[in-house]
Amino acid sequence: MALPGNWLWSFSKEAIVNIGSISGVLFTPFSGSYCAFKAAFNALSDVLRMELKQFGVRVVTVQPGAVQSQLVRE
């Protein structure tokens, strides 16, 4: 992804909030691809947290647990 030269400075003292899932940490049968994606997403957030810290950008990952949804019902 190509971004303008000083794009990070416009985010100084800001936060990126990623919505992950507990499925990226606790795995369940028959949801392998979903769990794998969420685990990778958590890893990406961890790396962004380390890389953007020097620019004053906080990266937070919210990992909610199970919620009543169509995915859970099926």
Side-chain angles (χ1 to χ4, degrees), residues 35-51:
C35 292
F37 170 78
K38 291 302 183 176
F41 187 75
N42 290 343
L44 175 64
S45 294
D46 290 344
V47 171
L48 284 175
R49 185 177 304 108
M50 291 183 274
E51 292 176 349

Side-chain angles (χ1 to χ4, degrees), residues 9-60:
W9 301 119
S10 65
F11 293 108
S12 181
K13 306 294 182 200
E14 298 292 329
I16 296 172
V17 179
N18 291 325
I19 307 300
S21 171
I22 196 66
S23 294
V25 180
L26 300 174
F27 311 115
T28 54
F30 308 107
S31 60
S33 58
Y34 181 79
C35 292
F37 170 78
K38 291 302 183 176
F41 187 75
N42 290 343
L44 175 64
S45 294
D46 290 344
V47 171
L48 284 175
R49 185 177 304 108
M50 291 183 274
E51 292 176 349
L52 299 179
K53 183 178 182 178
Q54 65 182 322
F55 300 104
V57 179
R58 293 177 37 225
V59 179
V60 178

